[in-house]
């Protein structure tokens, strides 16, 4: 039993903040921007845009990783999320800026597709001998992010929620970089190295 617990805890560290961030992305509820400023009857259309862009990006992310690298694709998602957070800080939603709702939802959907596919793939690559424990750990941290974001949703302003999201995102990316450095510098190969494109 101890081995199971140790193997379940072992994967945490390098990318757990990314999982909390991935779960925390859900704080950006449509009603915070769409329903209040443009009308509740538009929430569905913007959400469909989010889903379509995420689905298309899910199809493209595999070939994109082969062309550039997994690290570059994850940084692309991080840059997209940071850019959207900055836009959400600065933008004053109004019914006149209809295109902006769809652009934000589309870019957010593409970033979300990268997170869901590549962090899951990263866990599979990093822990080939402990996949059950690794994926349990992965989803634990993700659902902890969902829990936290829904727990504080009614207590914090949107600006505070964006700051929390940015903190988790930056912490997660720092952890990812540290994890990659550990993999590349390890003399003992505990992990399967992630091949870089040539």
């Amino acid at each position: 039993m101890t081995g199971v617990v140790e193997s379940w805890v072992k994967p945490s560290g390098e990318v757990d903040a990314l999982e909390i961030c991935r779960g925390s992305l859900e704080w950006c509820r449509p009603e915070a921007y769409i329903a209040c400023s443009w009308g509740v009857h538009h929430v569905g259309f913007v959400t469909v845009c989010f889903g379509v862009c995420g689905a298309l990006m899910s199809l493209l992310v595999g070939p994109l990783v082969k062309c550039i690298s997994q690290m570059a694709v994850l940084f692309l998602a991080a840059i997209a999320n940071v850019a959207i957070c900055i836009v959400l800080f600065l933008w004053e939603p109004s019914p006149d800026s209809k295109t902006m709702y769809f652009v934000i939802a589309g870019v957010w959907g593409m970033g979300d597709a990268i997170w869901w596919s590549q962090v899951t793939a990263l866990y599979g690559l990093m822990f080939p001998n402990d996949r059950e424990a690794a994926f349990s750990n992965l989803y634990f941290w993700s659902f902890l992010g969902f829990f936290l974001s829904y727990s504080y949703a009614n207590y914090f302003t949107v600006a505070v929620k964006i700051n929390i999201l940015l903190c988790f995102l930056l912490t997660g990316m720092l952890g990812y970089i540290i994890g990659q450095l550990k993999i590349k510098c390890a003399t003992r190969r505990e992990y399967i190295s992630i091949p870089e494109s040539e």
Side-chain angles (χ1 to χ4, degrees), residues 84-98:
I84 291 299
C85 287
I86 291 169
V87 167
L88 291 175
F89 267 128
L90 302 175
W91 179 52
E92 289 290 330
S94 73
D96 299 330
S97 54
K98 296 174 181 138

Side-chain angles (χ1 to χ4, degrees), residues 34 37-39 42 91-102:
I34 305 162
S37 61
W38 193 21
H42 291 105
W91 179 52
E92 289 290 330
S94 73
D96 299 330
S97 54
K98 296 174 181 138
T99 307
M100 196 65 166
Y101 292 99
F102 293 102

Side-chain angles (χ1 to χ4, degrees), residues 20 30 36 52 54 68 71 74 83 138 155 170 173 177 188 194-195:
I20 293 175
C36 295
V52 168
I68 48 178
M71 184 180 283
L74 284 170
L138 169 85
Y155 302 105
L170 296 175
M173 288 308 294
I177 292 168
R188 220 179 75 200
I194 301 167

